[in-house]
Amino acid sequence: MIRRFFKWTGKAVGAGLLALALLNLFCVFYYNVPVHYTNPDGATEYKWEARRFYSRGTEGFALGRTNSDGFNNLRDYTPGEAVDLLLMGSSHMEAFNVAQDENAAALLNERYGGERYVYNLGTAGHTLLYCVKHLDRALAAYAPSGWVVLETMSLDFAPEDMDAVVDGSYPDIPSRSGGLLTMLQKIPVLRLFYTKYIKFGELFSGMADGQYEEGAAFSGDYAAALEGLLDKLARESEAHGVRALVVFSPPLLVAPDGSAYTGTDPEKLALFTRLCEEKGIEFLDLTETYLDAYEQHVLPFGFSNTAPLAGHLNRDGHRLFADAVAARIAEREG
């Protein structure tokens, strides 16, 4: 009896380990995400493992390798090398959902044909607030000679959060790594389970970081806090001798009649536009670009394995983004 019990237990454990190994092998190509660590130079909250293979099949189908600096760029980075345009933003700019040569930074580099170099610091979770929080250190670390471009999916930020960015108290995004925890994060099937069911379940239901539900109504507190935030952006950009371009890349919604619209608060958009103009910040609103594309049956968001218009920018969205940024910079530079 005891022998049969141990024999059965051994078979069950063996079958379980075999299943885990097969699932892990599958996830190597289906969902394989590097471990991230606190960024020592402070240009972002964290950066990924350097020169690490990644794959995503949960939203779009993409695979690639992080560069020597731990970011999604086609070429490695050597400290001190010339950067002309620094791109900052959320997971939409990080672009782990599209091919590496189809993201906005790669497309901009392609359009410039070697005449200038665009370097991508896009990092998941880095809303405009985190980008402005780290702007001074990012510009010090990479010293772009021309522009810093900051992507945002929303203009709807709580006044207390904007104030916290300005006074330096905005909370960090923790990197949980080291020892056993790092080892467990390197097992793709466990990382997928943790991400889907424990930490970022919203990412699998079509809500990517950078997309927000409608927030509090427009108020004087919002206006004052936004002015402080944009003052910080303008002041630090000027101190480093670069021009700042904020790109508003709003998600699209579909009305019952099939037409597309955005949930942008018109008062907040008008205020953001005016304050940027007053402070010498370029502001590029992609609302009409995306709506026009929708009318031409081109969807900027969503993939073949997700709902239409849900989640991250797809390759058409990255193309529209890159074309609009290149056109605006060319227009301002004459």
Side-chain angles (χ1 to χ4, degrees):
M1 183 73 177
I2 295 177
R3 177 183 293 181
R4 282 191 348 209
F5 171 77
F6 281 110
K7 185 177 181 180
W8 180 89
T9 301
K11 288 182 178 180
V13 171
L17 291 175
L18 178 60
L20 180 63
L22 292 174
L23 284 170
N24 199 58
L25 179 62
F26 171 75
C27 284
V28 166
F29 299 99
Y30 177 68
Y31 188 81
N32 190 354
V33 182
V35 178
H36 66 72
Y37 302 90
T38 300
N39 191 340
D41 63 25
T44 55
E45 290 284 306
Y46 62 87
K47 60 170 66 178
W48 300 103
E49 293 174 279
R51 298 190 176 98
R52 171 71 151 73
F53 172 80
Y54 69 83
S55 63
R56 293 281 182 94
T58 52
E59 185 186 1
F61 297 94
L63 52 83
R65 183 176 293 275
T66 57
N67 74 348
S68 59
D69 195 28
F71 294 105
N72 189 9
N73 290 274
L74 283 173
R75 81 185 204 198
D76 285 340
Y77 175 76
T78 302
E81 76 171 286
V83 171
D84 299 287
L85 188 155
L86 188 66
L87 178 60
M88 303 180 70
S90 67
S91 57
H92 295 272
M93 293 297 100
E94 183 180 60
F96 279 163
N97 307 91
V98 299
Q100 285 191 290
D101 60 354
E102 293 179 337
N103 67 45
L107 294 175
L108 282 166
N109 278 316
E110 180 181 287
R111 282 149 180 70
Y112 289 131
E115 294 182 2
R116 57 176 64 181
Y117 181 50
V118 179
Y119 192 70
N120 183 22
L121 291 185
T123 306
H126 283 54
T127 63
L128 181 63
L129 298 185
Y130 279 107
C131 292
V132 176
K133 172 186 174 181
H134 290 276
L135 180 63
D136 185 57
R137 285 167 289 181
L139 295 177
Y142 295 95
S145 60
W147 294 80
V148 58
V149 177
L150 302 95
E151 167 260 346
T152 182
M153 295 289 291
S154 178
L155 308 178
D156 193 12
F157 304 109
E160 57 269 25
D161 289 341
M162 291 188 281
D163 289 340
V165 171
V166 174
D167 67 26
S169 63
Y170 198 56
D172 297 336
I173 300 174
S175 289
R176 297 180 175 87
S177 57
L180 179 62
L181 190 57
T182 294
M183 185 183 73
L184 292 175
Q185 289 184 69
K186 289 178 178 290
I187 301 175
V189 67
L190 296 183
R191 189 72 175 274
L192 174 62
F193 180 87
Y194 174 75
T195 303
K196 183 172 183 179
Y197 294 109
I198 300 176
K199 187 175 182 182
F200 290 132
E202 70 274 10
L203 298 184
F204 289 82
S205 61
M207 193 171 194
D209 72 67
Q211 295 189 23
Y212 305 86
E213 296 179 2
E214 187 176 352
F218 180 89
S219 68
D221 289 341
Y222 172 86
L226 179 62
E227 183 161 16
L229 183 77
L230 295 180
D231 272 336
K232 175 177 169 64
L233 171 56
R235 180 176 64 254
E236 292 177 355
S237 299
E238 183 178 8
H240 288 276
V242 298
R243 301 175 69 177
L245 168 60
V246 176
V247 184
F248 179 41
S249 174
L252 297 185
L253 305 171
V254 180
D257 64 1
S259 62
Y261 68 100
T262 70
T264 308
D265 184 325
E267 286 187 281
K268 291 179 179 178
L269 177 59
L271 176 67
F272 202 102
T273 303
R274 177 175 65 80
L275 288 177
C276 282
E277 183 176 357
E278 290 177 0
K279 299 177 187 308
I281 301 168
E282 285 294 323
F283 179 61
L284 175 58
D285 179 6
L286 296 183
T287 300
E288 291 305 319
T289 298
Y290 290 165
L291 291 176
D292 288 346
Y294 180 85
E295 292 299 317
Q296 301 299 317
H297 310 294
V298 174
L299 304 184
F301 303 92
F303 300 85
S304 60
N305 55 350
T306 63
L309 293 179
H312 290 86
L313 284 171
N314 55 34
R315 63 180 182 179
D316 289 316
H318 280 276
R319 174 180 52 80
L320 293 169
F321 187 102
D323 286 346
V325 168
R328 173 58 66 86
I329 290 176
E331 177 185 337
R332 292 297 182 258
E333 292 180 343

